[in-house]
Amino acid sequence: MKKRRVGVLISGNGSNLQALIDACAAADYPAQIVLVISNKPDAYGLVRAKNAGIPAHIVNHKDYASREEFDIAMNVLLNKYEAEFVCLAGFMRILSAGFVDAWQGRMLNIHPSLLPDFKGGHAVRDALAAGAKETGCSVHLVTEEMDAGEVIAQAKISILTDDSEEKLHQRIHEQEHLLYPQALKILINNN
Ligand code: DQB
Ligand code: GRF
């Protein structure tokens, strides 16, 4: 089996990046991470990448005059490393139409709700506030419209009566770490 080449974009802790790194360590997993890009210079995920021997690059959005130029800088790196797929893993910048088009059908994001419920940046808080009985996480294809692309895989999590946002997000994270490697494998097997 020839491993497919994946670039991962992060902004922070990178626990989902770690889950993908760990999955890729298995000889029979169909992907390898060829680079990690962070828009935040202090993202802990950069340390995770270096510890795994993966090239780690900072592309700081503050260094670019426009969203398009920032996105092009990331694309130059992804092309340099010959990435075939892109995984967003806690990446917090909205991507321009040009970038999304370039990776159409080959770019995934993980979101902490059962999409299409609770799109946006406060999905865990919003599910609690709505009094939902269950929530979860979704891996979806990235389209220009935020959190609206085709869902590839989901996992459900019960909301407990005494849940806090922090406790619920922690349980969601545990499921995310199982789900994201499965979803990437599904995408690769379909491509
Ligand atoms: C994200 C969810 C929310 C945000 C970012 C990413 C957000 O609202 N950030 C604050 C604004 C920062 C900024 O100015 O950029 N989840 N791009 C496209 N479509 C997506 C998903 C994520 C990131 C970029 C998408 C994305 O579905 N076009 C990940
Ligand atoms: C995850 O909850 C993911 O669903 C959301 O951002 C968080 C990233 O966490 N998009 P981490 O950086 O992977 O630990």
Side-chain angles (χ1 to χ4, degrees):
M1 177 208 49
K2 194 157 181 294
K3 283 187 179 246
R4 309 294 294 273
R5 301 175 67 84
V6 178
V8 182
L9 309 189
I10 62 167
S11 300
N13 180 37
S15 68
N16 281 290
L17 165 66
Q18 188 68 56
L20 291 169
I21 290 171
D22 294 347
C24 288
D28 64 349
Y29 190 79
Q32 60 181 125
I33 300 172
V34 295
L35 90 153
V36 171
I37 300 173
S38 174
N39 68 303
K40 295 268 193 180
D42 58 351
Y44 183 66
L46 291 166
V47 177
R48 299 181 188 273
K50 285 175 191 154
N51 286 343
I54 299 166
H57 289 266
I58 298 161
V59 180
N60 189 339
H61 57 282
K62 294 179 181 173
D63 294 340
Y64 296 87
S66 70
R67 198 174 286 279
E68 285 72 21
E69 287 166 272
F70 166 69
D71 286 0
I72 286 167
M74 292 196 293
N75 237 338
V76 166
L77 279 171
L78 288 163
N79 291 330
K80 176 178 164 194
Y81 285 91
E82 299 183 352
E84 305 173 78
F85 299 90
V86 173
C87 290
L88 310 184
F91 179 73
M92 292 311 294
R93 300 294 297 176
I94 294 165
L95 295 163
S96 62
F99 190 94
V100 173
D101 284 350
W103 294 100
Q104 179 176 274
R106 298 183 297 138
M107 177 161 56
L108 294 174
N109 178 47
I110 188 154
H111 182 81
S113 75
L114 293 173
L115 289 172
D117 291 343
F118 308 116
K119 295 176 180 176
H122 313 288
V124 181
R125 191 187 313 166
D126 292 348
L128 269 180
K133 290 207 161 28
E134 60 178 20
T135 184
C137 48
S138 306
V139 177
H140 64 92
L141 287 170
V142 176
T143 55
E144 196 179 350
E145 187 186 342
M146 290 295 292
D147 304 331
E150 181 190 340
V151 172
I152 303 294
Q154 287 183 318
K156 285 184 184 173
I157 292 131
S158 295
I159 297 181
L160 309 177
T161 43
D162 64 339
D163 252 334
S164 62
E165 183 179 346
E166 191 184 11
K167 286 197 286 181
L168 179 56
H169 204 163
Q170 190 179 327
R171 296 205 308 288
I172 292 174
H173 256 121
E174 290 167 14
Q175 292 304 311
E176 288 185 339
H177 300 160
L178 301 174
L179 192 69
Y180 212 166
Q182 293 175 11
L184 175 60
K185 188 173 179 175
I186 290 169
L187 181 70
I188 286 173
N189 286 339
N190 290 331
N191 282 275

